[in-house]
């Protein structure tokens, strides 16, 4: 038994913020939370669980037979054919133990060096699966960042990846957490292996796996209800939420699920992005694969919400996050923090935390993206392509308005049952950037931005007749009825809505028109919140005949990011120390392709802003401020909440206070990456 003088076990890169365990009230709240999750249907039935195991067993046998078949066809010896093997691994929510009913299963097939991905996996195995009776909706995606084959097997959704490792025979007990598995493989294989390696590492780095699972299951449900669960749209996906929850588990190793959920919101409400969240130090390796390193990789400097994977090669799992989606998530963290405080004071129940976000009441102006196809199968393919590019529309609007017009892409899709063709629609909320002074006659003209987006969408190489896209500007009162649940009654417009962004929604004149028309509008006087702007009826920008022979668009997804995002903050007036991270001034051309800087002032001065009338831009080389996580201030601010307001009289309170003051401080060099991957602790 450890003596009382032994230091507490450290699970992350820093000491815990608090070692306090639960009291009776915490245990009661945890029981109520678990009861809520069960009643919400977040756990699958024993029958479905058994069916998943059966499907995985059958799929494992299929890939073994596939490798043996290829080994025999290529003339290897009978002994080699006998020993030939492929191993099936799982990762994602299934591997972490937080999957729910109907969730897909992320799987990885690891095969020998002579079985490749391009032909053997995507052609030979694809044909085998296509001929398998219980396999439906088979869709290969060989050009994805992580090449994948998607299908349903006996009704269970499967995402199957493939990795060919440098072994002639793959042992059944292969440990892919070992770095040797990455020897002599390409980067696509590394990315394919990374999902399993990250999941295994997370499980090893959390203090209590069951508490972690309950808290993660809760927060994933919360994120879906609040509309911030979608990696492809620019929010966070499953692995991102798992890493954030795991970090909170490390900071509060003795906390039960109800405490972890509450601490999650307290920590990330006050987290000073873009400081990275890391479960362990970033390690270099002689294999030489690129890791997240803002010193060497200019794109890494532009990441808004870095959440770093814990397995080599460490990567930012949340590179899709934009300034707009980060703003939305921070607002939702604030909402969660407020509700959790009320729950701890017995003023609210857990159901209040999971209230769905009223997206269509939160803004006055929206973009509606209608996706149309001839039939359901074409719609599935066309929608997948358009949805994967919606994030680019958000980035382009941020770029062309210099961040003055903010977008809130909503990750839910809707269908109009009255349409004869296959159809679905996505929506984006629009609002001015908070704190921007409204000037008389100011307008945002994003018609050119939308046209550029449509042009890129129409370059889809598998386009078919009937695949169409329409982008429309709609006001709140014009939102179609099919997005609301049956029996829903729209509230009367009010001055205040439950979303912070609404106060920034003004009569901003966001202009979108079809290519063959020009919209003219009167500008309403500013300051009359109850009066909608006198805009014309809903108009749309509709995709024309597919431009098979049209010239390529000038910008593509990731190339629109900047190379200079963070300017050096001004020195504090008292002594020349760097200003707080909140004072960091982001370059207004955050997602311009060229490494240039400009001032926002020129953007705000005109009557109308058009992408063809951008202000003069001068080149500049801006030094990068030291990126440093300063949770000491967070600890000092919340120590009274986390310790004093709960049970400062507890015998462990002094120890807890000391732990809180030893708050996380991951210091970085001037170019933005940790020196040697080791954290520096703040001293008392």
């Amino acid at each position: 038994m450890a003596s009382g003088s032994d230091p507490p076990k450290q699970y992350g890169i820093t000491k815990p913020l608090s070692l306090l365990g639960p009291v009776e009230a915490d245990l009661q709240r945890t029981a109520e939370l678990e009861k809520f999750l069960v009643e919400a249907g977040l756990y699958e039935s024993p029958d479905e669980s058994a069916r998943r195991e059966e499907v995985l067993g059958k799929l494992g046998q299929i890939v073994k037979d596939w490798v043996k078949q290829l080994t025999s066809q290529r003339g290897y010896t009978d002994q080699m054919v006998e020993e030939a093997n492929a191993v099936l691994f799982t990762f994602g929510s299934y591997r972490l133990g937080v999957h729910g009913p109907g969730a897909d299963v992320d799987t990885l097939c690891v095969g020998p060096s002579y079985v490749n991905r391009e032909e053997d996996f995507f052609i030979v195995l694809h044909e085998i699966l296509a001929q398998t009776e219980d396999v439906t909706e088979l869709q290969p995606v060989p050009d994805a960042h992580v090449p994948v084959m998607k299908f349903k097997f006996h009704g269970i959704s499967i995402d199957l990846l493939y990795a060919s490792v440098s072994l002639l025979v793959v042992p059944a007990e292969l440990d892919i957490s070992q770095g040797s598995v990455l020897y002599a493989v390409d980067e696509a294989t590394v990315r394919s292996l990374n999902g399993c390696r990250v999941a295994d590492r997370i499980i090893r780095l959390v203090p209590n796996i069951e508490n972690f699972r309950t808290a993660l299951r809760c927060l994933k449900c919360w994120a879906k209800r609040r509309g911030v669960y979608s990696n492809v749209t620019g929010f966070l996906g499953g692995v991102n939420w798992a890493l954030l929850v795991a970090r909170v588990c490390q900071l509060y190793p003795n906390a039960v699920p109800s405490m972890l959920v509450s601490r999650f919101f307290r920590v990330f409400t006050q987290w000073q992005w873009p400081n990275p969240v890391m479960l362990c130090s970033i390690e270099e390796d002689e294999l030489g694969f690129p890791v997240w390193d803002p010193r060497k990789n200019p794109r890494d400097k532009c990441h808004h919400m870095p959440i770093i994977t814990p397995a080599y090669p460490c990567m930012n799992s949340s590179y899709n996050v934009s300034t707009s989606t980060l703003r939305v998530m921070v607002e939702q963290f604030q909402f969660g923090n407020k509700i959790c405080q009320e729950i701890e004071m017995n003023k609210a129940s857990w159901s209040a935390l999971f209230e769905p976000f009223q997206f269509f009441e939160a803004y006055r102006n929206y973009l509606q993206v209608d996706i149309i196809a001839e039939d359901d199968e074409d719609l599935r393919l066309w929608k997948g392509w358009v949805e994967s590019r919606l994030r680019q529309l958000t980035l382009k609007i941020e770029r062309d308005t210099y961040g003055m017009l903010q977008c809130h892409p909503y990750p839910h899709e809707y269908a109009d049952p009255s349409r004869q063709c296959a159809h679905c629609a996505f929506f984006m909320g629009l609002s001015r950037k908070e704190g921007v002074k409204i000037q008389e006659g100011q307008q945002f003209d994003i018609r050119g931005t939308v046209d550029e987006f449509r042009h890129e969408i129409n370059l889809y190489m598998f386009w078919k007749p009937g695949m169409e896209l329409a982008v429309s500007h709609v006001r709140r009162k014009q939102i179609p009825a099919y997005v609301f649940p049956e029996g829903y009654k729209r509230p009367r417009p009010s001055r205040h809505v439950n979303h912070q962004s609404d106060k920034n929604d003004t009569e901003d004149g966001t202009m979108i028109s079809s290519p063959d028309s020009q919209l003219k509008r009167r500008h309403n006087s500013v300051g009359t919140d109850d009066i909608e702007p006198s805009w014309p009826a809903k108009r749309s920008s509709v995709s024309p005949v597919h431009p098979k022979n049209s010239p390529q668009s000038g910008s593509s997804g990731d190339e629109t990011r900047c190379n200079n995002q963070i300017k050096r903050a001004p020195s504090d007036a008292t002594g020349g120390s760097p200003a707080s991270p909140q004072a960091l001034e982001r370059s207004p051309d955050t997602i311009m392709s060229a490494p240039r800087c400009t001032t926002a002032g020129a953007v705000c001065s005109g009557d109308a802003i058009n992408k063809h009338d951008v202000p003069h831009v001068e080149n500049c080389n801006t030094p990068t401020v030291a990126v440093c996580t300063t949770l000491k201030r967070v600890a000092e601010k919340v120590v009274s909440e986390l310790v004093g307001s709960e049970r400062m009289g507890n015998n462990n309170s002094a120890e807890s206070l000391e732990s809180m003051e030893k708050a996380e401080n991951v210091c970085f060099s001037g170019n933005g990456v940790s020196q040697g991957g080791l954290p520096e602790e703040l001293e008392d």
Side-chain angles (χ1 to χ4, degrees), residues 23 140 210 233-234 242-243 292 298 304 317 335 358 367 381 388 457 488 580 595 624 634 636 654 678:
V23 295
E210 291 304 322
T233 313
L243 291 169
W292 187 79
H304 302 288
S317 64
F335 166 83
Q358 300 301 321
L367 288 184
L381 299 174
S388 72
I457 290 295
Y488 177 84
S580 65
T624 305
V634 175
E636 291 171 347
L678 298 176

Side-chain angles (χ1 to χ4, degrees), residues 149-411:
M149 199 128 60
K150 296 173 175 286
F151 54 93
K152 286 188 176 181
F153 195 168
H154 198 56
I156 302 294
S157 296
I158 302 288
D159 284 358
L160 179 62
L161 314 182
Y162 179 71
S164 174
V165 296
S166 299
L167 296 170
L168 286 176
V169 178
V170 179
E173 67 280 0
L174 177 68
D175 182 3
I176 61 173
S177 66
Q178 298 298 314
S180 58
V181 76
L182 302 177
Y183 178 74
V185 300
D186 60 19
E187 289 193 21
T189 300
V190 172
R191 291 193 292 269
S192 298
L193 289 165
N194 209 32
C196 294
R197 289 165 53 81
V198 167
D200 289 346
R201 194 91 167 105
I202 290 174
I203 291 172
R204 292 171 183 164
L205 287 171
V206 295
N208 184 305
I209 187 62
E210 291 304 322
N211 288 344
F212 163 76
R213 285 172 174 160
T214 302
L216 177 56
R217 194 182 294 272
C218 168
L219 286 160
K220 286 180 64 176
C221 175
W222 173 85
K224 292 174 182 177
R225 298 272 182 99
R226 302 302 294 178
V228 290
Y229 189 98
S230 173
N231 184 277
V232 69
T233 313
F235 294 107
L236 301 182
V239 68
N240 311 126
W241 291 105
L243 291 169
L244 293 183
V245 174
R247 186 67 188 119
V248 174
C249 290
Q250 291 180 336
L251 295 173
Y252 303 94
N254 298 321
V256 293
S258 64
M259 298 169 66
L260 291 172
V261 171
S262 174
R263 274 46 169 193
F264 177 92
F265 291 118
R266 292 184 187 177
V267 168
F268 291 115
T269 292
Q270 300 175 76
W271 194 274
Q272 296 174 359
W273 306 103
N275 297 301
V277 172
M278 300 187 293
L279 301 187
C280 57
S281 301
I282 296 177
E283 299 177 0
E284 298 283 353
D285 193 279
E286 65 274 5
L287 294 176
F289 289 106
V291 298
W292 187 79
D293 187 344
R295 296 174 304 177
K296 301 176 182 178
N297 308 318
R299 286 185 179 180
D300 292 350
K301 297 178 184 178
C302 297
H303 293 166
H304 302 288
M305 192 181 189
I307 303 172
I308 311 304
T309 56
Y312 175 82
C314 298
M315 308 173 186
N316 177 22
S317 64
S318 53
Y319 59 88
N320 276 353
V321 174
S322 69
T323 54
S324 289
T325 53
L326 175 58
R327 169 188 60 86
V328 172
M329 284 188 282
V330 170
E331 289 176 357
Q332 292 304 322
F333 291 156
Q334 292 168 347
F335 166 83
N337 187 43
K338 176 178 177 292
I339 298 298
C340 283
Q341 289 176 352
E342 294 177 356
I343 291 173
E344 291 180 344
M345 294 185 292
N346 296 320
K347 294 182 179 179
S349 63
W350 287 110
S351 60
L353 182 66
F354 297 93
E355 281 291 323
F357 176 58
Q358 300 301 321
F359 175 71
F360 294 108
E361 298 175 18
Y363 297 93
R364 297 185 179 185
N365 304 308
Y366 296 85
L367 288 184
Q368 177 177 336
V369 181
D370 288 290
I371 305 167
I372 304 165
E374 289 287 346
D375 54 46
D376 291 340
E377 179 61 21
D378 283 356
L379 180 65
R380 183 174 65 86
L381 299 174
W382 181 229
K383 180 191 72 175
W385 167 252
V386 175
E387 186 178 11
S388 72
R389 309 302 296 172
L390 280 178
R391 184 177 68 92
Q392 297 304 319
L393 179 56
T394 300
L395 295 177
K396 291 176 188 298
I397 292 173
E398 288 178 350
R399 176 197 68 193
D400 292 348
T401 64
Y402 294 85
M404 297 299 106
L405 185 62
Q406 296 179 323
C407 300
H408 178 175
Y410 202 51

Side-chain angles (χ1 to χ4, degrees), residues 36-38 104 184 221 224 401 417 424 432 601 604 650 652 658:
F36 178 89
L37 298 179
V38 170
D104 59 358
C221 175
K224 292 174 182 177
T401 64
C424 71
R432 288 182 185 273
C604 301
N650 189 293
N652 295 327
E658 180 181 357

Side-chain angles (χ1 to χ4, degrees), residues 102-130:
D104 59 358
V105 181
D106 297 310
T107 57
L108 167 70
C109 174
V110 177
S113 57
Y114 55 86
V115 177
N116 64 52
R117 180 188 300 106
E118 292 75 15
E119 296 178 1
D120 299 331
F121 181 72
F122 279 113
I123 297 178
V124 179
L125 181 59
H126 177 273
E127 184 63 27
I128 292 172
L129 291 172

Side-chain angles (χ1 to χ4, degrees), residues 458-514:
N458 284 320
L459 296 176
Y460 181 48
M461 62 185 301
F462 300 110
W463 182 89
K464 296 180 182 179
M467 292 181 174
E468 299 295 340
L469 175 76
V471 180
S472 309
H473 165 246
V474 295
R475 290 174 289 177
R476 185 192 301 162
K477 64 182 180 182
Q478 296 173 315
I479 295 294
Y482 62 78
V483 307
F484 299 102
E486 187 175 355
Y488 177 84
K489 293 184 178 180
R490 301 193 193 188
R492 295 181 61 184
S494 62
R495 291 181 178 271
H496 301 288
V497 186
N498 65 340
H499 189 280
Q500 288 185 352
S501 302
D502 190 65
K503 65 187 177 185
N504 301 317
D505 278 352
T506 66
E507 295 75 0
D508 54 16
T510 305
M511 295 170 56
I512 302 175
S513 71
S514 57

Side-chain angles (χ1 to χ4, degrees), residues 74-99:
R74 290 172 184 173
Y76 287 96
T77 65
D78 292 343
Q79 182 179 354
M80 278 284 292
V81 173
E82 179 67 24
E83 294 176 348
N85 189 35
V87 181
L88 197 67
F89 295 90
T90 61
F91 61 100
S93 62
Y94 186 81
R95 176 71 180 93
L96 293 174
V98 295
H99 61 286

